[in-house]
Amino acid sequence: MTATSSSIFSISAFSAACALLLSTPLNAQVKKTKQKVEVPPPPAVQADVSKVEFDAIVRIEVEVENRNYRVPWNIGGLGSGVGTGFMIGKNRFLTNAHVVSNRRLIYIKKMDRPEPYKARVLHVAHDCDLALLELEDPTPFKDVTPLKFGTIPKLNTTVIAVGYPIGGERISVTRGVVSRIDFRPYTHSGVDFHLTVQVDAAINPGNSGGPVLQDNKVVGVAFQGYSGSQAQNTAYMIPNPVISRFLKDIEDGQYDYYVDMATQTINLLNPAQRLALGLKNDGKGVMVTIADKAGSAGDSLKTGDVLLSIDGFDIASDGFVTIEGERINLNEIVERKFVGDTVTLKILRDHKKEEVKIGLQRFIPYLIQANHYDKKPNFVLFAGLQFQPLDRELMGSFGISNLKARYTYSYFSRDELYLERPEPVVLTAVLPDSVNTHLQAFTKQIVDEINGKKIRTLQDVYDALNSDAHEDGQKEYHVIRLLGEGRPLVMERSKAKAAHQRIMTKYNVGYDHFIEKPLILESKALAKARQQADKK
């Protein structure tokens, strides 16, 4: 019955439309059609690169130094890589962050010249996979015209990817169609989501950092794709809103990273759930499930709040907002902000409408699950016991399966575990010696206390082991307690001190510690959240 009614309605509507069309003068019909339908230029025009100076598109060769988390005092393996970049201003070249990560040396080559030119990194943004380079001597490019930026390409339009992919040293040009514009994860950091544009052009290793062009202008930077086993003809580029935000951020000489409300929400599509929250069934609003205490919204939002609008844009019940006719994830509003900016939210709390303003800042606790680059592994080695901060590299390098460690890693942010341990430390290895026999079974667990001192950071480990601190009645021993482990590790203090240098010599250890101040300790929101937690 429903199908029949629908068919009758469609026929009636079609008849009425025909009658209206026949009663309208032909020129008016054409005029209305032109107003409603936007016809894109033909593919030949979209793919035009006749005004692009290809000398501005460069090959980037990088010598890299990989990190060794299992033997942190040693230099990791050396390697090399190739990417693409392009000139965007006087002695300014844009590329991907992953092209120049862990670099030792960077060289830039022009399309028509064999010699390499030494370059250096000015700014790198690992959270959005972009980097800005400069040449030590810009003379070879003094007459080269930089590329110009365009806008976000429309769906089903043609783009050109230019770069130096695998298979040769000469420049490569491929054509594809824009197939999707979406909010997706950036694989370089492993934790950040930003606006992306999907294309079916062939973008392969070496294309990274190269321009994607349309109508003689840059509309994106090639940066990642799927292997053939996962998907075919699927690659992604970083669109201009992300690029322009990066360039705007570094205008003051430093990169301040993306801001984040650090708030998780759920869609409100169920009518009964909406009724319970006091909402009309009008398709608007999402509910806050977590507002992280160390995040921007920690003082302003709480679980159960319903977000109705953001900066004046209504929030649909699936978490999208409509801007200039395009539906985008509400997080895209925050994406366009900078450190210190504010965002205005209209919310429903306890069936009452309120308006809140939130000052935005970077959210640091989630970085425990991020890939890290351009830094040495932090560690402390003492009498053969190796201690290291818990992070993504550590989990992968040591294959940590201890449940306490895995829980801390996975729920560090969600369960606000950073309030107690801003930098969880793991006993990762034991270099065998007579002083530490039978302690290998205790590895890959989180350190709770050492000599009566609570371990919140790696610095606490070094201080506890290199001071007179001790548990009551255990002055002659080092006592190490692990989270969830009933048995402590115990070593005689005098023997451990004597063995330390012997072990370093035996295993060719050049230095016994490298400690950097954890970035999370610089978070003002974290300090405030800890003060509130201590009061409770």
Side-chain angles (χ1 to χ4, degrees):
M1 179 66 86
T2 304
T4 304
S5 300
S6 176
S7 299
I8 293 172
F9 176 81
S10 299
I11 293 170
S12 300
F14 177 74
S15 300
C18 288
L20 179 61
L21 184 62
L22 291 172
S23 65
T24 306
L26 183 59
N27 59 347
Q29 295 170 23
V30 174
K31 186 176 181 180
K32 286 185 177 180
T33 301
K34 287 183 178 179
Q35 289 175 339
K36 292 182 180 179
V37 179
E38 183 180 348
V39 180
V45 174
Q46 299 166 24
D48 183 18
V49 291
S50 61
K51 298 179 182 178
V52 173
E53 188 168 348
F54 275 57
D55 263 353
I57 303 171
V58 300
R59 176 184 172 96
I60 300 175
E61 298 179 352
V62 186
E63 301 294 327
V64 299
E65 177 184 313
N66 298 312
R67 311 305 181 190
N68 189 337
Y69 277 77
R70 296 188 71 88
V71 189
W73 55 85
N74 278 353
I75 295 176
L78 303 179
S80 61
V82 174
T84 306
F86 58 99
M87 190 175 178
I88 63 170
K90 185 178 179 181
N91 197 20
R92 294 293 182 267
F93 298 85
L94 189 66
T95 187
N96 286 142
H98 75 257
V99 170
V100 296
S101 294
N102 298 330
R103 70 267 178 193
R104 297 176 69 244
L105 293 170
I106 303 173
Y107 295 99
I108 282 177
K109 282 186 175 181
K110 291 182 72 174
M111 181 179 68
D112 59 348
R113 300 292 294 271
E115 62 266 37
Y117 306 109
K118 198 170 183 181
R120 54 178 168 254
V121 173
L122 282 177
H123 300 282
V124 62
H126 294 297
D127 55 354
C128 64
D129 201 0
L130 291 170
L132 192 67
L133 314 181
E134 70 171 3
L135 288 169
E136 291 187 356
D137 177 12
T139 305
F141 287 83
K142 65 179 181 179
D143 297 323
V144 176
T145 302
L147 301 188
K148 296 181 179 180
F149 288 99
T151 58
I152 296 180
K154 294 185 179 298
L155 292 175
N156 201 30
T157 59
T158 303
V159 293
I160 300 292
V162 185
Y164 292 86
I166 55 174
E169 293 191 5
R170 301 188 71 181
I171 202 164
S172 168
V173 178
T174 58
R175 178 184 296 195
V177 173
V178 175
S179 52
R180 181 182 294 167
I181 300 174
D182 205 358
F183 201 73
R184 291 189 55 82
Y186 279 35
T187 57
H188 179 61
S189 73
V191 294
D192 292 284
F193 286 68
H194 303 297
L195 194 66
T196 60
V197 175
Q198 179 181 314
V199 297
D200 65 0
I203 294 179
N204 296 301
N207 271 117
S208 293
V212 181
L213 305 165
Q214 187 177 84
D215 192 19
N216 289 296
K217 293 181 179 179
V218 177
V219 294
V221 174
F223 80 122
Q224 65 187 38
Y226 283 113
S227 64
S229 61
Q230 293 178 298
Q232 295 180 351
N233 299 328
T234 302
Y236 296 93
M237 68 177 186
I238 301 172
N240 285 348
V242 178
I243 299 169
S244 61
R245 189 203 177 282
F246 166 67
L247 296 177
K248 179 69 175 176
D249 195 316
I250 62 176
E251 284 182 355
D252 63 354
Q254 68 176 26
Y255 181 62
D256 296 315
Y257 300 90
Y258 271 78
V259 293
D260 199 320
M261 285 205 303
T263 301
Q264 297 181 34
T265 62
I266 59 171
N267 297 340
L268 292 177
L269 302 172
N270 183 277
Q273 187 180 30
R274 296 182 64 85
L275 183 64
L277 291 167
L279 290 170
K280 297 178 182 178
N281 196 20
D282 57 2
K284 296 179 181 179
V286 293
M287 189 182 81
V288 174
T289 55
I290 297 174
D292 201 288
K293 286 186 175 64
S296 302
D299 290 336
S300 305
L301 298 178
K302 64 181 182 179
T303 301
D305 288 345
V306 177
L307 307 185
L308 300 174
S309 72
I310 179 168
D311 277 358
F313 297 100
D314 290 339
I315 301 173
S317 54
D318 60 355
F320 280 70
V321 298
T322 302
I323 301 178
E324 298 176 354
E326 295 289 337
R327 297 187 79 243
I328 60 173
N329 190 293
L330 71 90
N331 287 296
E332 180 63 19
I333 301 291
V334 179
E335 288 268 305
R336 301 178 185 185
K337 306 277 187 174
F338 297 88
V339 171
D341 288 349
T342 61
V343 66
T344 302
L345 294 168
K346 287 186 178 179
I347 68 172
L348 186 71
R349 175 179 293 169
D350 300 328
H351 295 207
K352 295 179 181 178
K353 290 185 178 180
E354 298 182 22
E355 182 175 288
V356 296
K357 284 192 175 183
I358 297 171
L360 297 171
Q361 60 183 349
R362 188 184 184 193
F363 184 60
I364 297 175
Y366 83 117
L367 292 178
I368 193 173
Q369 295 181 357
N371 296 312
H372 294 282
Y373 306 94
D374 308 326
K375 58 178 290 187
K376 296 169 61 176
N378 282 234
F379 77 100
V380 168
L381 186 70
F382 182 83
L385 305 184
Q386 183 172 296
F387 303 90
Q388 294 172 266
L390 180 66
D391 60 20
R392 184 173 185 146
E393 277 80 5
L394 202 72
M395 292 291 291
S397 297
F398 289 92
I400 294 176
S401 59
N402 176 266
L403 293 180
K404 288 286 186 181
R406 293 183 68 85
Y407 164 71
T408 301
Y409 172 77
S410 300
Y411 294 91
F412 184 71
S413 174
R414 199 201 74 170
D415 288 358
E416 298 171 349
L417 303 180
Y418 52 78
L419 294 177
E420 182 178 1
R421 289 186 180 83
E423 186 182 49
V425 177
V426 176
L427 173 63
T428 54
V430 175
L431 306 185
D433 184 82
S434 58
V435 76
N436 56 40
T437 55
H438 309 297
L439 298 184
Q440 189 68 40
F442 291 93
T443 59
K444 302 180 182 179
Q445 298 187 60
I446 290 179
V447 181
D448 187 25
E449 293 183 359
I450 295 180
N451 295 336
K453 182 179 178 65
K454 198 74 172 178
I455 302 303
R456 298 177 63 245
T457 68
L458 185 64
Q459 185 66 54
D460 293 336
V461 173
Y462 184 83
D463 293 343
L465 291 171
N466 290 278
S467 68
D468 295 330
H470 58 84
E471 287 190 0
D472 291 343
Q474 304 295 334
K475 191 173 182 179
E476 304 301 320
Y477 299 93
H478 288 297
V479 180
I480 303 171
R481 299 188 180 275
L482 306 173
L483 193 63
E485 174 64 62
R487 303 167 298 166
L489 283 74
V490 180
M491 291 192 300
E492 288 188 52
R493 213 174 263 263
S494 58
K495 290 184 178 180
K497 183 177 181 180
H500 181 68
Q501 192 58 49
R502 177 178 73 238
I503 293 171
M504 289 187 62
T505 302
K506 178 180 179 181
Y507 291 95
N508 197 28
V509 180
Y511 52 100
D512 62 11
H513 71 280
F514 180 76
I515 304 172
E516 296 173 302
K517 182 180 178 181
L519 187 62
I520 193 172
L521 295 183
E522 298 176 11
S523 170
K524 295 179 181 178
L526 173 63
K528 187 175 181 180
R530 277 193 53 80
Q531 290 175 357
Q532 293 173 346
D534 292 341
K535 289 179 181 178
K536 294 179 181 180

